[in-house]
Amino acid sequence: EDGCADVSGYEDMLTAIDVWHQRKFARLLEKLDAYEEADGNTVLDNSCVLYTNELSDGKDHSWMNLPFILAGSAGGTLKMGQHILLGAGGDYDPEQAPLNKFLITLVNALGVESDWFGTPEGSGGATMQGGVYEVLLA
């Protein structure tokens, strides 16, 4: 059953919640970008801040095609200023864009050497793959 079908204006409410969170995210980034570190970079340049929602479609409680925003290059390790579709077109394909591979890329960019993230290898099937997304690396 559609739990939101009888809630008038639920889409506007969800949008307002997302806008509120994104404004807080922008404020955090502005503050991190305002502080210069000893190496001449800002705190934001030397960091990597991840923004995402817990669901891509709140009404359906779906996480398929969930967008992520990365800010900061982790000290020059990550490429910035790009939009990358890690999946294959419109439909989510865990064999082409497993989330744990994205998380492995992030932890490595932040200095934690690892070739695995998540449940033990083999227990997640195609959705659990090792390695990194080279396209994200500088």
Side-chain angles (χ1 to χ4, degrees), residues 94-107:
E95 292 186 32
Q96 293 194 13
L99 177 59
N100 73 307
K101 191 172 179 178
F102 173 73
L103 297 172
I104 294 166
T105 305
L106 292 185
V107 298

Side-chain angles (χ1 to χ4, degrees), residues 1-2 5 17 20 24 28-29 35 57 61 64 67 75 84 96 100-101 116-117 124 131 134:
E1 295 290 329
D2 184 356
I17 291 167
W20 185 86
K24 297 296 182 186
L28 170 64
L29 298 181
Y35 294 99
D57 184 338
H61 284 192
M64 302 298 191
I84 301 170
Q96 293 194 13
N100 73 307
K101 191 172 179 178
W116 195 256
F117 189 99
E134 295 291 337

Side-chain angles (χ1 to χ4, degrees), residues 12-32 49 51-53 69:
D12 292 335
M13 289 184 261
L14 290 175
T15 298
I17 291 167
D18 287 341
V19 168
W20 185 86
H21 282 119
Q22 291 169 6
R23 285 185 177 145
K24 297 296 182 186
F25 181 66
R27 183 171 177 231
L28 170 64
L29 298 181
E30 288 170 0
K31 289 185 177 285
L32 293 174
V49 184
Y51 175 86
T52 190
N53 199 323
I69 298 172

Side-chain angles (χ1 to χ4, degrees), residues 7 9-10 30-31 34 38 45 50-51 74 82-83 85 87 92 97 114 119 129 131 135:
V7 179
Y10 78 90
E30 288 170 0
K31 289 185 177 285
D45 293 329
L50 170 66
Y51 175 86
Q82 57 184 347
H83 174 267
L85 180 62
Y92 176 76
S114 177
T119 60
Q129 296 177 17
V135 68

